[in-house]
Each structure stands twice: as structure tokens, then as C-alpha cells.
Amino acid sequence: MFSFSPVKVIVAICLCLATACNSRQDKPEEQTEAPPSPDEQLQATTADNVVEVLTAYGKENPDTLAIISTRHGDIKVRLYPDTPLHRANFVRLAKLGFYDQGEFYRVVEDFAIQGGDSDNRTMKQGVYKIPQEFNPKYYHKRGALAMARYGDERNPEKESSSHNFYIVQGKPKQKYELKAFEEQKNMTYTPEQTNTYLSEGGAPSLDQEFTVFGEVLEGMEVIVKIAAEPVNSQKWPKEIVPHKIKMVN
């Protein structure tokens, strides 16, 4: 039978603990690099890398549903997967908090409300535009979500703004109006699109001029309230209408 001294056991335990402590102290700490801040990510996006950045982001973030919250209530929108650059850009700005510093800064009753920007914004982003993603099946019906842009003289390729978006309110149209737009734009509306413009309304003058990348699912009554805000001569609401945007899927 083996015998042992209690003192030796205690000494042995202490030595083991000391050895363990020393091995932990001798091991160099791993340096982890802090992820870039939202501001750094936004400012790193430029005209040269925007397609690459948005394509990669879109693959990792397949979200398609968003809630736009305002003092008049919430607007739920669905983003179209087959306008991938515009969808990814909207999701990215929402998730990075950029849109939480925006507002509906221009409203034209019975036409559209425009948001995304604000004079009070502190976050900054790089300078870029989004290549247009026109799709004839997406048109400016009532509730269409689309991206604003500079005019043709400055922007002949009709690339979209990096952050300014708008939602169509619109009014019902007449058949002769739609015929005129079809001739002007060398396009043909489907029976469904024609019926929607005649019965529900929209803004056909904007078709194939601006990229439509989503639509309202709930909250048109909120859009009507925002569009009815008292405005100044430049169509800016006299009382600001801030918005916050979050993805919900």
C-alpha cells in the first residue's frame, strides 16, 4: 500500500497551479481587430466599388421586409429580390442606422413622398450612385417604392441616388393618359398594369425613368397623412417628419 505525506501533496498542488498560471501568462494574448464602424463602412463605399460591395452584402443579407416608422404611424414595405443592388443598398443603410437619421423632407400630395435625407444627419457616406435596374414588371403604381436620382443632363445613365427614396401616392389615371405615356416611352402596359393605374392610381410619368425596387404592403393611410402635411414653397414639410427604418426578416 502506498503512503503519502499531506505536506507533499499540498506542495505538489501548489506547483501545479503555479505551472498552469505561468503557462497562461507566457501565452501571448490574441489581438482581435475591431470591426469597422457604420460610418467607416459607409464612407468606404465609392463609385469604384459600389457594385462589388452591394453584391457581396446582398448575398449575406437576403432581407426583403422593412418597417418605416414615422410620427403618423408605420409603413411596411417589401423589397424586390430581382432588383438586387437597390435592395441590398436599402437593407444596408437601414441596418447601419443611416436611415434612422433621415426624414420625409419633400412631399407632393397626390403624387409622392420623398425621404432618406436630412439636414440634421451626422452620419456620412461615400459618394456613389446605384446602376439603374429597370424592370417592365415593376411600375409606379400607388404604393411603389423607388429611388430618386439626378436629372438626365447630369445623369444620362439614370443611375439612382445612394440614399434618397420615394413612395408613390398618385391618383387614378385616364386611358388616354396611359396611351400617351406608352407612345412617349415606347412601351406597352399589361392589362393588369392598365387596370391598376385606372382604378388605384400611381405615377406613370416616372416609369422607366426611375428604378422601382419595392412596394407598400401596409400603411398607405400613413403615406396619405404625410403627403397632406403643410409645406413651404419648396414642398418641404413645415414640421419635419423623421423616419426610422428597420428590417423585419
Side-chain angles (χ1 to χ4, degrees), residues 37-183:
S37 68
D39 266 331
E40 290 172 329
Q41 293 180 57
L42 290 170
Q43 293 180 48
T45 307
T46 66
D48 293 329
N49 66 12
V50 59
V51 173
E52 178 184 354
V53 169
L54 293 182
T55 299
Y57 190 89
K59 291 178 180 178
E60 296 178 1
N61 297 268
D63 310 63
T64 58
L65 294 179
I67 299 292
I68 305 173
S69 298
T70 76
R71 58 181 168 83
H72 287 297
D74 291 348
I75 305 165
K76 186 176 184 179
V77 298
R78 177 171 69 93
L79 312 179
Y80 300 143
D82 45 358
T83 52
L85 298 178
H86 285 72
R87 184 198 64 79
N89 186 69
F90 192 89
V91 172
R92 185 169 182 257
L93 295 184
K95 287 189 172 183
L96 290 177
F98 186 84
Y99 276 148
D100 287 350
Q101 294 186 354
E103 63 187 75
F104 284 105
Y105 60 89
R106 186 170 186 267
V107 303
V108 181
E109 193 167 16
D110 292 328
F111 183 62
I113 60 174
Q114 185 163 314
D117 217 338
S118 174
D119 290 338
N120 300 317
R121 182 186 304 287
T122 58
M123 295 183 74
K124 298 179 180 179
Q125 63 176 166
V127 178
Y128 66 90
K129 296 190 291 290
I130 309 169
Q132 58 94 347
E133 294 179 298
F134 295 162
N135 188 322
K137 68 181 180 180
Y138 299 140
Y139 59 112
H140 286 79
K141 63 183 180 180
R142 182 178 174 87
L145 171 66
M147 219 64 180
R149 68 174 178 84
Y150 287 117
D152 289 356
E153 289 186 6
R154 295 179 58 182
N155 180 27
E157 296 181 351
K158 301 182 179 181
E159 294 179 299
S160 297
S161 162
S162 61
H163 57 284
N164 293 299
F165 64 90
Y166 61 92
I167 301 174
V168 175
Q169 182 187 18
K171 297 172 64 176
K173 302 302 176 184
Q174 300 295 320
K175 282 187 177 181
Y176 73 87
E177 293 179 285
L178 296 183
K179 287 294 183 183
F181 287 126
E182 286 180 324
E183 292 177 6

